[in-house]
Amino acid sequence: MNCIQLIIKKGIIALFLFCFLPVLLPAQPALQNVYNRKTSSLNGQWHYIVDPYETGYYNYRYQPYDVVDKASTSAFYNNYHAKNKQELVEYDFNRSPKMQVPGDWNSQKENLFYYEGTIWLKRSFQYPLLKKGSRLLLHFGAVNYRAEVYLNGHKLGIHEGGFTSFDFDVTPYLNTDSNFLVVKADNRRIKDGVPGINTDWFNYGGITRDVTLVETPDIYIRDYALQLARGNAHKIAGYVQLNRFASNSPVQVDIPELGVRTQFATDSTGRAAFEIDVDSIRYWSTEQPVLYNCTIRTNREELKDRIGFRTIETAGQDILLNGKPVLLKGISMHEENSAKGSRANSRAEAVESLSRAKQLGCNYVRLAHYPHNEYMVQVADSMGMMVWDEIPVYWTIDFSNPRVLRNAAAQLSEMISRDKNRASVIIWSVANETPPTSERNYFLLQLIRQARLQDATRLVSAALEQHTGNSGVHMVNDSIGQHLDIVAFNQYTGWYGGSLKDAPNMKWEIGYHKPVVISEFGGDAKYGLHGTKEERWTEEYQEYLYEQNLKMIMKIPGVRGMSPWILADFRSPKRLLPGVQDGWNRKGLLTGDGKKKKAYFTLRNFYTNWTLKN
Ligand code: GCB
């Protein structure tokens, strides 16, 4: 290699390292525990303008898209109204139709069912004059996929990623009389998105979760963690992070039922990290989901939470909850109200879908394939349901693109940040069915490292794939498995290949001595369609598939859990077989409105009898 080649090679390596390392966490952690603060809701009816040509940005007909005139009367975010009958203004929010927020547009308007692109949404609000020293934050539970947010014509910022929360400090932009808030929501599927272009779920667009104004003091509690220390069931470890660098501010943590009342002082970054010894604690478990009233106080504010304490670890092939081996009797679910065919976004829907899982005999759910709304983990906490939380690193996203890695890392960070105080959440999953390549391995490794850095107390996993070796043995030996706590994999014996008759005798080789979780298996059945167990799409076929798969799975060494695919039928534009699928993935054990298919009973019976053998 000559000198020039060497320099080029070194340059490429340096560029590679520069692009990929380190994966930076967002500068400002997410605002925690919005629901227990002083809030007012901006949910309700919002005006909207459908804008497939991105007209809302620019005023001259031939102006390129990226030239934006901030003051332009024709820019939608300025919410301009013609002053007289002469003036040319070609939009008007107040004369435009309305839709419900939170809510996806696809299920609300028939003509927007398959729409993928930009919709501008606007609502006005008034807010009483803020007390001196108070701040007002604007919080979004989620906007799918890309949000651009403007208040009274000021651009507040952009958020990318359709399933995580974000907020802005709007104090400087508030008007004393009326305010108008404009959100540009764009749900186009993009090659360098997370997820990418291809998913087996419906791409619901819009402001899909709560929008909330949060009033805080000038210096406020932005973030906090309160969990048992790693490997120590008698020590609560955590921190409180203020929004500003404010050193020596007193912070008090109270957990009256544990006799905890402790004071700390923040350091120069506004952070107080602490450890608190606790003697007798009633641990959170699936049978007794004990939650303690916790209060965090500064001299300006008081924030309450209900937090459970438990340990989650692995030992050999066991998963230990509070030191005792557990089985994860699970089911996968999407964040969908399948009765309505819409995104789910309320506490009532969370209660309904988790209760359905409970009735099926589950103590565990896989929230696929992206972070679900916050009600889900709150309800799981109080119901005693263990949770697998996941980010949409799904199938073949563009693993070679540093922008995609930064995006995935940001979504992972936002998910962990929001859910880290929920005892129910036991697993962070960094990916689903991602075919191994060196770029993908590097990508996942960064995410795994980041998850552990951000939260050392939970298990890290990913839904891997299996493959069949030459000898016909089914193998799980994806090299990323060595970095995971739980080896989870999806397999579709009897649906995408493999004979159901032979399933129970299939040989399996798992390359790691770790707990094994079957993160998916299943097959479609149209409710009410009957036939023999050899006929696809019938309830009998699905029932047989479950019987045979369960026999097979019980012979896989180290199996400690499963989350079959899936609790209820869900919308997927990829599933087009007329009369059977009609735009729905029919692998649900329930129909959208809760009717039970035959395989439901197979799994329920299995869970009733499945125990850990000593
Ligand atoms: C999978 C995917 C899931 C699909 C499912 C199916 O492996 O993880 O998102 O919906 O298979 O039905 O094919």
Side-chain angles (χ1 to χ4, degrees), residues 200 369 394 432-433 490 492 496 520 565 575 585 587:
D200 186 22
H369 282 298
Y394 183 85
N432 176 73
E433 282 188 359
N490 301 348
Y492 277 90
Y496 294 125
E520 287 177 30
W565 194 254
R575 308 294 178 171
N585 184 315
K587 294 191 185 69

Side-chain angles (χ1 to χ4, degrees), residues 328-339:
L328 307 184
K329 302 182 180 183
I331 193 74
S332 297
M333 49 175 79
H334 268 295
E335 188 195 42
E336 192 173 73
N337 179 331
S338 7

Side-chain angles (χ1 to χ4, degrees), residues 17 45 119 137 148 154 160 343 374 379 395 412 447 456 479 486 496 498 528 604 614:
L17 291 177
Q45 292 282 308
I119 292 191
L137 311 180
E148 249 177 65
H154 298 278
E160 190 172 336
R343 266 267 168 273
E374 198 167 354
V379 174
W395 287 354
L412 177 64
L447 297 181
S479 68
I486 288 183
Y496 294 125
R604 195 174 70 179
N614 296 320

Side-chain angles (χ1 to χ4, degrees), residues 31 135-139 168-170 212-214 216 220 222:
L31 183 70
R135 306 210 72 81
L136 196 68
L137 311 180
L138 169 65
H139 182 270
F168 305 101
D169 186 339
V170 297
T212 315
L213 288 169
V214 188
T216 69
Y220 61 90
R222 188 144 180 96

Side-chain angles (χ1 to χ4, degrees), residues 358-578:
K358 197 135 221 185
Q359 281 153 20
L360 178 60
C362 297
N363 61 7
Y364 161 73
V365 288
R366 176 181 179 208
L367 302 184
H369 282 298
Y370 38 77
H372 290 206
N373 62 67
E374 198 167 354
Y375 297 120
M376 288 294 280
V377 286
Q378 288 173 351
V379 174
D381 255 18
S382 51
M383 240 186 218
M385 190 66 87
M386 293 180 281
V387 169
W388 157 303
D389 247 4
E390 181 166 319
I391 51 168
V393 171
Y394 183 85
W395 287 354
T396 48
I397 63 165
D398 189 355
F399 291 107
S400 61
N401 184 339
R403 186 184 120 77
V404 177
L405 177 54
R406 279 195 292 273
N407 181 344
Q411 294 191 42
L412 177 64
S413 166
E414 289 163 344
M415 173 177 79
I416 296 178
S417 185
R418 192 197 71 181
D419 290 353
K420 63 184 174 304
N421 290 317
R422 304 284 70 88
S424 53
V425 177
I426 56 164
I427 299 168
W428 304 124
S429 165
V430 297
N432 176 73
E433 282 188 359
T434 50
T437 59
S438 56
E439 282 138 346
R440 170 274 201 179
N441 291 351
Y442 180 82
F443 192 106
L444 293 197
L445 201 55
Q446 298 307 305
L447 297 181
I448 294 164
R449 282 195 188 136
Q450 181 188 317
R452 294 196 191 287
L453 253 176
Q454 222 178 318
D455 175 20
T457 70
R458 287 178 176 78
L459 308 176
V460 178
S461 194
L464 306 175
E465 292 178 301
Q466 53 94 37
H467 66 99
T468 316
N470 291 339
S471 52
V473 176
H474 293 262
M475 325 241 259
V476 181
N477 53 12
D478 185 328
S479 68
I480 213 73
Q482 64 191 296
H483 305 285
L484 301 173
D485 298 308
I486 288 183
V487 178
F489 66 94
N490 301 348
Q491 65 82 26
Y492 277 90
T493 303
W495 192 256
Y496 294 125
S499 128
L500 279 182
K501 195 155 105 353
D502 302 337
N505 298 320
M506 279 178 181
K507 299 269 172 295
W508 286 84
E509 246 176 58
I510 312 291
Y512 305 99
H513 189 71
K514 297 185 179 189
V516 174
V517 168
I518 316 299
S519 34
E520 287 177 30
F521 74 92
D524 292 54
K526 172 91 188 273
Y527 176 78
L529 187 68
H530 294 287
T532 68
K533 63 184 192 321
E534 272 84 39
E535 286 172 81
R536 247 186 223 272
W537 314 112
T538 63
E539 286 193 44
E540 285 71 17
Y541 189 102
Q542 192 191 38
E543 177 185 45
Y544 183 53
L545 184 145
Y546 267 71
E547 285 163 5
Q548 296 296 88
N549 269 268
L550 289 169
K551 283 184 197 150
M552 176 188 81
I553 289 167
M554 283 304 95
K555 293 188 182 166
I556 299 177
V559 168
R560 294 294 182 273
M562 62 180 81
S563 48
W565 194 254
I566 185 170
L567 182 63
D569 294 347
F570 61 96
R571 275 199 200 283
S572 169
K574 293 170 80 72
R575 308 294 178 171
L576 299 167
L577 184 65

